Every structure is written in structure tokens, then in C-alpha cells.
Amino acid sequence: MKMKKMVLSVMLAGWVVGLKAQSVKKDTIPLLHGAHHIGKRMDADMNRWRGYGLGQFIHWGLYSVLGGDYNGKHYNGAAEWIRSWGELPHSVYDSLYKKFDPKEFDANRWAVMAKQMGAKYVTITTKHHDGFCLWPTKYTSYNISNTPYKKDILKQLVNAYTKAGIDVYLYFSIMDWHNPDWRYDLKSTADTIAFDRFKLFVKNQLEEQLKMYPQIKGFWFDGTWDNSWKKSGAFSDSLNQDLKRIHPGLIIGSRLRADDYGKRHFDSNGRLMGDYEQGWERTIPSDFAATHGNDWECDMTIPENGWGYAKKWMGHWKTPNELIEMLAKCVSLDGNFVLNFGPKADGTFRQKEIDDAKVIGNWMKINNEAIYNCGYVNWLKQDWGYYTQKLKKDNEIYMIVFNVPVSGALRVSSPKNTVIKKAYLLDGHKELSIEKLDGLDTFIHLQKTGQKQPFVIVLETQKGAQSEEDENKHI
Ligand code: H76
């Protein structure tokens, strides 16, 4: 009896999460290939994903050989797209594999760098839009085994990162500029026949990856925006299910599937199709409402745009403090922050990336308690920075502080019935004085201002301890 009651309440709790996450609206459009579940996935694999906080993205491939340059000229677009700009003959680009020989490549060194930065997961480009495969696939000869380097890059990376305790996800571009069966649209029977061959090729390659690298935790799909794929909703649905059948627990974001009507990310009824929202590329939701209560991930470049190695980086280069602030903001809004790295063709990283990883890692060493396994706090956002708390909630709230007011007094507006018992600096545990103001607000007083680094204050709170007299003030 007791057990039954428990099961029921767990189910109800799950249902409430679902309803809250995606507004209580009835499905009006019947769909065969829409979302298959409502609300968040609450299994162990997804809970682990939710707790990562910080990840690393790796863009490495033939574009790294050019670094955005061709014939002495630099092209300012994203370097990994250079093949598509008509600036060099495709035959030239498609022969670059003959020069791919990363003599300095050391997978363990990459994993150590990511570990030092504090990354809990990595997403690696196994095949970008150019179609070149970093693993020895048997489904096309356009792969690493036919380069002078020959060895399986992906295997080395999967092994090295896994050994370092970093979960591995595989980036896979559906759009494939090299495969003659790829189509942007399906306008004739011939197109459909070719694209059916292409779909089989994709399925084969993905099943091959699962077989060769069974340690991986998920896929990161890209290049799914063209009409050909939008018209392949039934296939993308069955592919998604196949992969998950082969590898239970697999995590796949919202960029793989299309529904019956070609809607992507969210189906025609507005339900998320995927384990997390995968559209936050180089942008961060402005507030919690913009996340729709979903799991989500932000993927960020250090320069303005451009993921693969570029000899010249365009636009503003984000500073480590800007990147750390983005990380804090993402976690405070229940998301993960994934920072991109574009290694050079020889297997080394540009100095700026090495330096940034180090600064972020040093900050994480002191402050990671406010990042890992943390998420959203439903308190009024303040100008000094961001709140986080452990996903398995306890009585601690973290304040990640970026802007210190000249007064040194940080305002906290806690909800009714929550009392702040104690405030202290995470680094060194020095206690800070608390001044209760009229109403619900409190000042946390810093003894010194002029901090050079973002820092974390821990608030110990207690629920239900507010006096009636206090409560009456807010009626
Ligand atoms: C557009 C596009 C692609 N998606 C990013 C994650 C990069 O791979 C970029 O080339």
C-alpha cells in the first residue's frame, strides 16, 4: 500500500515537471512523428548530463589544414565552411586529406587540457559538412585511414577522454557535401532514390560508430535544416529510435528530427523533440522563461564566429571572464555551457585557447561547487551576478558575483518563508555580515571590494522560519 502510494506520487511529480516544462496545452495536431515524451528525461544518464555544467567542443577536420586561407588570401567566414564559398575548386578541397598528417597530435594531452579546464563532457566532430570522416569508416574511403596519418583519430580521443573521466559525444553532420547522394531538396524521383541511399549510408555510419566506440554517451547532430531532411521526418524518427535501442540511455538533442510537417526542434504541437533543446548556438536564453523549462546547452565560440581553426580570428575575442560569466549564466538558467576549440592541422591548439582553458580551469578549481550539479534558483535576479543551487536541493544557495557595487553591499531578495542564516565566501569560508532590510531584502556586506576575479558567496538558508510579524509586512 505504502509502495503504491509512493509510486503514484513519483509519477505525479514527473507529470508536474512535464506540465510545467511545456505549457499545459492540448495537442491539437495529430502526429505520427512528433515528440514521444513530455517533459524532462529523469533517468540516470540524463541526470548526469544535467550536472555537467561545463563541456568542450572540438572542431577538427580538413578545414583545419587551410585555416581560412586559400592562395594567399584569408576568407573571413567560418573557416570550416570554406569549401562552400566557391573560392577554391572542390577538387582542391577534397584532396586536402592527402596533407592531413597531425604530427603533434596527442589525444592524452588534449584530454588533460580539457580536464584541467573542468570540462565534464566533450563533443567531437567525427564528420563535418565536408563529409570527411575522422574514423576509419567502411562506408566511404574519404576517411582518416587514407591520409598520411592513417591512424584512427576518433578512437584515440574517445579512449583518452573516457580515461580522463570526461564523457564523449559524437558530432555528426547529416548534410554531406562530399557524398553524391546528398540532396538539399527532393524534387524528383531520382532525388528520392539517391537520398534513400544516403539515408542508409547515414544509418550505417552511425551504427558503425556505436559499435566501434561503445563508451560514447550521445550524438550531436548538425546540418539538418535542408528540405530533404525536413521531408524525412519518419526516417529521422526511426533512426533516433534505432540508435537508442542499440545503445540505451543515449542522449540526442533536438537537432536530429523533423516531424510529419517538417517542423524541427519543436513539433507542430510545440513539444520538444529530443532530450534537450539544441538550438542555443552562440546565444544564451535571456531569462528562465526563454528556456521553456527544458534542458538545454549553449555552444560558444571564443571569436565572434568560426569553429574550425582559422589563422585569423574574426571580431571580438571573448576574455576568460566573459566566458566564465557565460558559464555561470547558463548554469543559473538550468543549461550547460560548451566551449569550442579548433585545433590546428598539426594537432596543437592556438595559444589563446590554451591560455583561456587554463584561466577557466583555475577558476573552476576554486568555484566548481557552484557549477557542477547545479541549476536554476527561482529568486529575483540581481545586478551583481547569478544564483545557482544543487539540483538535489539542499539549504545552500550560491551567488556567483561578477559586479561588485561600490558600497560593497550585495542585495538579495529571498522568497517568503526563506531565512538567510549565514553567508560566507566559498574560497576560504570567510563569513560575511548579513543585514536584514525592511521587507524581503537582505544585504550581504563584503569587507573588501575591488575583486579581480568573479567569486562565489554561499548562503545557508532555512525554510519556514520566518516570523509571522515579518510575513505580515508583505501582505
Ligand atoms: C552553421 C553551422 C555549424 N554548426 C556549428 C556547431 C558549427 O559546426 C558550424 O559550422
Side-chain angles (χ1 to χ4, degrees):
M1 188 63 196
K2 233 185 187 169
M3 191 61 193
K4 250 191 191 164
K5 239 189 187 164
M6 223 170 79
V7 170
L8 189 71
S9 60
V10 167
M11 276 170 62
L12 281 173
W15 181 234
V16 169
V17 168
L19 290 180
K20 248 199 184 154
Q22 313 201 344
S23 66
V24 198
K25 215 175 53 190
K26 271 223 185 110
D27 287 356
T28 46
I29 302 167
L31 294 172
L32 288 173
H33 306 293
H36 296 308
H37 64 88
I38 296 171
K40 293 182 175 183
R41 239 179 81 176
M42 297 307 284
D43 55 280
D45 293 291
M46 202 59 203
N47 284 339
R48 185 177 165 95
W49 186 95
R50 204 165 280 135
Y52 290 147
L54 177 62
Q56 183 192 42
F57 217 129
I58 295 281
H59 273 74
W60 204 32
L62 296 184
Y63 40 83
S64 318
V65 175
L66 296 178
D69 282 10
Y70 180 62
N71 254 349
K73 197 172 163 219
H74 184 76
Y75 294 94
N76 233 353
E80 72 280 4
W81 277 73
I82 194 168
R83 187 187 186 276
S84 70
W85 299 332
E87 305 292 357
L88 77 170
H90 287 170
S91 59
V92 171
Y93 189 95
D94 294 348
S95 301
L96 287 173
Y97 72 93
K98 293 179 186 159
K99 293 188 196 157
F100 195 75
D101 193 13
K103 291 226 165 25
E104 306 293 324
F105 174 59
D106 178 345
N108 284 312
R109 216 185 306 150
W110 287 26
V112 165
M113 174 178 157
K115 180 93 183 166
Q116 194 280 334
M117 179 172 82
K120 291 283 189 190
Y121 69 131
V122 65
T123 302
I124 305 162
T125 49
T126 65
K127 176 173 86 162
H128 204 262
H129 309 331
D130 62 12
F132 178 74
C133 301
L134 277 186
W135 82 102
T137 174
K138 61 179 184 213
Y139 299 102
T140 170
S141 60
Y142 199 44
N143 78 56
I144 193 67
S145 57
N146 292 314
T147 65
Y149 182 73
K150 289 196 177 69
K151 285 169 282 184
D152 183 351
I153 295 230
L154 194 51
K155 183 174 165 189
Q156 297 176 60
L157 288 173
V158 172
N159 287 342
Y161 277 81
T162 304
K163 200 175 83 192
I166 298 171
D167 287 353
V168 179
Y169 291 74
L170 303 184
Y171 169 106
F172 186 99
S173 172
I174 297 290
M175 177 167 73
D176 186 327
W177 297 329
H178 188 265
N179 190 311
D181 291 328
W182 162 258
R183 292 291 182 280
Y184 288 94
D185 204 349
L186 308 177
K187 291 185 167 154
S188 64
T189 315
D191 284 344
T192 303
I193 291 170
F195 205 63
D196 280 347
R197 279 196 302 267
F198 181 77
K199 288 191 269 196
L200 183 62
F201 167 67
V202 161
K203 183 169 183 276
N204 284 336
Q205 284 208 313
L206 292 167
E207 289 182 359
E208 179 182 51
Q209 289 190 341
L210 284 180
K211 198 172 274 167
M212 291 178 78
Y213 317 105
Q215 310 97 311
I216 66 153
K217 305 289 183 197
F219 287 110
W220 204 103
F221 288 101
D222 202 10
T224 52
W225 45 74
D226 288 302
N227 279 339
S228 53
W229 194 252
K230 289 203 257 179
K231 290 175 182 172
S232 303
F235 176 74
S236 67
D237 189 6
S238 74
L239 178 65
N240 186 62
Q241 288 180 35
D242 268 0
L243 300 174
K244 289 187 170 184
R245 199 175 311 125
I246 296 170
H247 194 114
L250 204 66
I251 293 172
I252 297 176
S254 64
R255 213 182 277 200
L256 173 62
R257 293 181 51 200
D259 81 354
D260 312 41
Y261 297 96
K263 286 271 282 173
R264 299 173 56 242
H265 297 282
F266 294 90
D267 70 17
S268 299
N269 292 308
R271 312 269 190 219
L272 184 68
M273 292 183 291
D275 298 321
Y276 63 93
E277 197 184 337
Q278 203 191 340
W280 299 102
E281 191 169 307
R282 293 191 296 118
T283 63
I284 299 174
S286 53
D287 55 18
F288 191 65
T291 71
H292 308 108
N294 288 316
D295 285 311
W296 60 278
E297 168 191 286
C298 162
D299 304 283
M300 190 54 71
T301 53
I302 300 175
E304 214 114 284
N305 192 8
W307 302 76
Y309 174 68
K311 288 183 187 158
K312 283 189 203 140
W313 261 359
M314 63 175 106
H316 169 67
W317 303 3
K318 295 167 194 82
T319 64
N321 276 345
E322 282 175 79
L323 297 169
I324 292 167
E325 180 158 1
M326 289 175 167
L327 164 67
K329 183 172 181 186
C330 288
V331 173
S332 81
L333 296 175
D334 267 353
N336 289 330
F337 180 70
V338 179
L339 188 60
N340 181 66
F341 291 74
K344 300 177 195 175
D346 67 0
T348 64
F349 290 83
R350 73 195 313 139
Q351 196 56 42
K352 163 82 172 147
E353 290 181 345
I354 294 171
D355 295 345
D356 286 0
K358 200 159 268 155
V359 177
I360 294 169
N362 290 342
W363 187 85
M364 283 292 281
K365 233 164 244 131
I366 300 166
N367 302 292
N368 71 67
E369 199 184 311
I371 298 292
Y372 296 144
N373 295 306
C374 285
Y376 176 65
V377 179
N378 189 15
W379 290 18
L380 185 69
K381 161 105 176 63
Q382 304 288 337
D383 290 340
W384 45 254
Y386 307 89
Y387 290 113
T388 64
Q389 69 184 336
K390 290 290 174 203
L391 295 171
K392 286 200 176 122
K393 298 193 174 71
D394 49 26
N395 289 326
E396 282 176 350
I397 301 280
Y398 303 105
M399 299 166 59
I400 311 182
V401 182
F402 289 86
N403 311 301
V404 176
V406 285
S407 65
L410 306 177
R411 185 178 291 271
V412 170
S413 220
S414 51
K416 233 177 168 181
N417 287 335
T418 300
V419 173
I420 296 166
K421 304 292 272 183
K422 190 177 164 185
Y424 61 91
L425 294 172
L426 178 60
D427 186 14
H429 285 228
K430 187 183 173 62
E431 201 170 333
L432 303 172
S433 71
I434 301 170
E435 183 191 356
K436 214 171 154 347
L437 307 173
D438 221 17
L440 294 170
D441 289 8
T442 302
F443 271 148
I444 310 295
H445 288 284
L446 294 172
Q447 273 126 14
K448 93 182 163 56
T449 55
Q451 281 80 359
K452 296 274 184 294
Q453 290 266 309
F455 60 96
V456 174
I457 296 170
V458 185
L459 302 180
E460 282 182 8
T461 63
Q462 198 171 46
K463 280 236 163 73
Q466 205 155 22
S467 72
E468 222 168 86
E469 187 198 337
D470 269 355
E471 283 215 25
N472 288 339
K473 283 186 191 157
H474 319 300
I475 291 171

